[in-house]
Amino acid sequence: MKIETDIVIIGSGIAALQAARVLSARFTIHLITKSDIRNGSSYKAQGGIAAVSSQDDHTTFHLKDTLDAGEHHHVSEHVKHLVEQGKETIQDLINHNFPVDRNEHGDISLGLEGAHSKARIIHSGGDATGKALVDYLIDTLPKNVKIHEYELAYELLMNNSGECMGVKTKNNDKDFIYHASYVILATGGAGALYACTSNCPDSVGDGIALAYLAGAQIADMEFVQFHPSLLYINGAAKGLVSEAVRGAGGYFINENGHRLMEGKHPLGDLAPRHVTAYEMYKERAKGIEVYLDISMISDFKSKFPTITQICEENGIALSKGRIPIAPGSHFLMGGVVADRYGRTSIPRLLAVGEVACTGVHGANRLASNSLLEGITFGKLMSENLLENGKKQRNFIESPPLKRDGKLTLLQAQILQNEMLQKAGIIRNSVGLAKILKLLPNYNQVRSFDFSRCTKKQIELAFMHITSSLVVSASLMREESRGAHIRKDFPSKCPSWQNKWIVFEKGKMNVRDGLYEQDQASNNVKAFF
Ligand code: SIN
C-alpha cells in the first residue's frame, strides 16, 4: 500500500510528539511507531526536565554543568541553544497548560539531580514526568497527525539525487510505502542492546540502523550512559530508581551499610552518572550487593509514586529503608549526526531526540537534559521546517541494490549478555574484539533483503547493526572519557580530546569536529 504525505515521523516519544504538535500547523503527518504510542522510554521517564526557572539560577550555570558532566566533548554552541531555548520552550508548554509540580506557595518545585549545581529539575506527577508529558502532547495532536501503531520502519527510500524520499514499513499483516517531503527519525535510544537496562525492550537503536543503511553519518557510539540505580532483584533489572531519590537525600550503601560515594568525588552521591555507576559496578564485581538508603526521606510514597509502585510490584518493602540496585544501560549519547534543526548528512532526512547526535550530551549526559532536548530541538527543527520546508518533487528511486546476502544473527538475549559483559560499563580490547567478530559488517547488512523478514527478525538484525557501531567505536577510542571506560586505557588521553568517531557507509573516520566543514551548507542547498 502506498501513502503520500508531507512528513513521516518515525517514533512516538517526546521529540516525535513535540515535532508532530508543532509541524501539524502546516503539514499532514504520519507518525509511525513500532509499538503502542504510550510504550516508549519517554513514557517511563521518571526524572524531570532540567531548565532554568529560578532567580538564583542562570543558563550559564546550566551550560557549565552540562559541559562538566559530559567532560567537554560537546558542540558547545548547541548546548547553549539547548539551555537557552530550553528555558523558553518549557515556559511555553507551562503557559499552554502543561501541569508541573508546585510547592505550597504555587511556585514550581525544583528538584536536584546528579552533577547539577542548582535545583532546577521540573517534574510533573512526582516521578512520572515522562508519562505526564507524553499524555499532554498526545492530547494536543490534531486530526492531520495520523498515528500508526505496531508498524516497523525497515528501509529509508532514497531518490536519484541522494535525498530521502520516504520509508518502507510493515505491520503484522501488510507492507507500506510512504512517500514524503521529509522523514524524521525520532526512534529514541538503544539501551536494550544490553541485558540490564532502564529502557523499554523496544529501544534497540532502529533509527540508527535505518540511517546507517541509508548512508547517513553516525557518531559518538562509544558513549553509552549507565545509570547507577536500577531496581535489581534476583539478577534482573526491574525499572529505574530515579536520581531524584538521591536529590531528596538518599545515598548509596553496600550490604554492610557502608556509604559508597564518600571520598570518591566532590559531589558524593550526586556525582555524574558515569562516576556513580562505575563505583556501583566495582562494588558488585567484588560480590557485594549495593542499595539506595532511603530511610531519611519523609513521605517517600507520595514523592515517588512510580518507584513505590515498581518496588511494591516486585516485593520490596520500603519500610526497610533500602532498595536493592545495580547499574544498567540508560542513554546513548551517540546517534545520527544532526544539527540543531535535525538536519542529517542526508538531505530531507532529519533526526531528533535520543536517536540524534547533536553534540549536546558530550561523553556523558547531564541528568534530565534528555526530555529537555526532545521538547527543545523537536520545536526548533519543526519551526525551521514550517518556515523553510519545501515539497519533494523527485520520487524517482535510486537504482535498487542487489540483495542476495545472508546474515547470521545471535539470539537477542545472547547478544544483550555479550554486550553487557564486553561492551558494557567497562570495556577492553580483548572483549570488544571478540564480540565484534560475532557481528555483521556493513556490506553484509547492505546486501540483505529485509523485506522478506518478520518484524522480529528485522529488529534483531538492527540490534546487530547498532551493536557493531557501539563496539567498533569503543574499540577505536583508546582512552577513558565520560561513560566510555576502558580497563586497558584507564585515563583520558589529550590526543583524543575533541575527536569524533564517525561512521559512514561502512567506513569509520576520526575527525576534529562532529560535522564536516560543508555539511550544513550542503543541507541548506538541498533543503531550500
Ligand atoms: C533519573 O530519573 O534518574 C533519570 C533521569 C534522566 O535520565 O535524566
Side-chain angles (χ1 to χ4, degrees), residues 46-47 113 225 227 240-244 273 330 365-370:
Q46 293 175 9
E113 285 181 7
Q225 182 178 82
H227 194 289
L240 186 72
V241 184
S242 174
E243 214 160 71
R273 278 184 196 156
H330 184 61
R365 173 174 66 76
L366 182 67
S368 287
N369 267 0
S370 58

Side-chain angles (χ1 to χ4, degrees), residues 120-134:
R120 63 167 74 94
I121 317 299
I122 298 171
H123 288 96
S124 181
D127 56 3
T129 308
K131 176 179 181 302
L133 194 48
V134 168

Side-chain angles (χ1 to χ4, degrees), residues 7-11 19 23 182-186 349-352 381 385:
I7 292 178
V8 170
I9 299 177
I10 307 171
L23 287 166
Y182 296 93
V183 174
I184 298 172
L185 295 172
L349 176 67
L350 302 146
V352 68
M381 171 190 73
L385 277 188

Side-chain angles (χ1 to χ4, degrees), residues 241-279:
V241 184
S242 174
E243 214 160 71
V245 171
R246 277 171 285 129
Y251 50 77
F252 295 111
I253 54 168
N254 68 11
E255 61 191 33
N256 305 314
H258 295 306
R259 286 190 71 160
L260 290 169
M261 287 308 299
E262 271 179 350
K264 300 278 173 44
H265 188 279
L267 293 173
D269 291 89
L270 286 173
R273 278 184 196 156
H274 63 281
V275 178
T276 48
Y278 190 34
E279 289 303 325

Side-chain angles (χ1 to χ4, degrees), residues 65-117:
D65 294 346
T66 302
L67 297 178
D68 288 347
E71 303 215 321
H72 297 259
H73 176 77
H74 296 81
V75 175
S76 33
E77 185 203 333
H78 284 174
V79 184
K80 196 163 181 296
H81 281 286
L82 178 72
V83 299
E84 288 177 358
Q85 315 259 341
K87 181 180 161 196
E88 309 300 325
T89 307
I90 180 70
Q91 201 48 59
D92 181 55
L93 287 176
I94 294 170
N95 293 345
H96 285 87
N97 303 323
F98 172 59
V100 296
D101 295 348
R102 293 180 183 273
N103 62 21
E104 62 276 20
H105 310 293
D107 301 325
I108 299 174
S109 306
L110 295 174
L112 185 64
E113 285 181 7
H116 283 274
S117 57

Side-chain angles (χ1 to χ4, degrees), residues 333-348:
M333 275 66 77
V336 183
V337 177
D339 68 9
R340 68 177 181 278
Y341 298 120
R343 296 177 298 197
T344 70
S345 59
I346 295 181
R348 295 183 182 272

Side-chain angles (χ1 to χ4, degrees), residues 451-500:
S451 67
R452 286 180 300 150
C453 298
T454 63
K455 287 197 294 178
K456 273 271 150 263
Q457 289 165 334
I458 295 170
E459 261 196 314
L460 184 61
F462 283 2
M463 279 176 86
H464 282 68
I465 296 172
T466 310
S467 296
S468 76
L469 300 175
V470 172
V471 173
S472 303
S474 303
L475 195 55
M476 183 75 180
R477 185 176 283 273
E478 293 187 333
E479 65 157 355
S480 291
R481 185 178 298 273
H484 171 63
I485 304 173
R486 286 279 299 257
K487 194 165 187 171
D488 43 355
F489 295 96
S491 312
K492 256 189 281 208
C493 171
S495 62
W496 273 104
Q497 174 76 50
N498 290 327
K499 297 282 182 210
W500 273 266

Side-chain angles (χ1 to χ4, degrees), residues 281-343:
Y281 168 87
K282 285 192 282 189
E283 192 70 0
R284 287 183 45 78
K286 292 185 229 159
I288 304 173
E289 297 297 333
V290 296
Y291 296 83
L292 265 182
D293 189 324
I294 56 161
S295 55
M296 74 303 294
I297 302 177
S298 57
D299 301 327
F300 186 92
K301 290 187 182 184
S302 62
K303 285 181 186 147
F304 301 107
T306 308
I307 298 168
T308 300
Q309 191 189 339
I310 302 173
C311 285
E312 285 173 353
E313 279 167 6
N314 286 284
I316 298 300
L318 292 172
S319 54
K320 290 199 174 143
R322 50 164 69 177
I323 300 175
I325 53 150
S329 67
H330 184 61
F331 189 87
L332 179 62
M333 275 66 77
V336 183
V337 177
D339 68 9
R340 68 177 181 278
Y341 298 120
R343 296 177 298 197

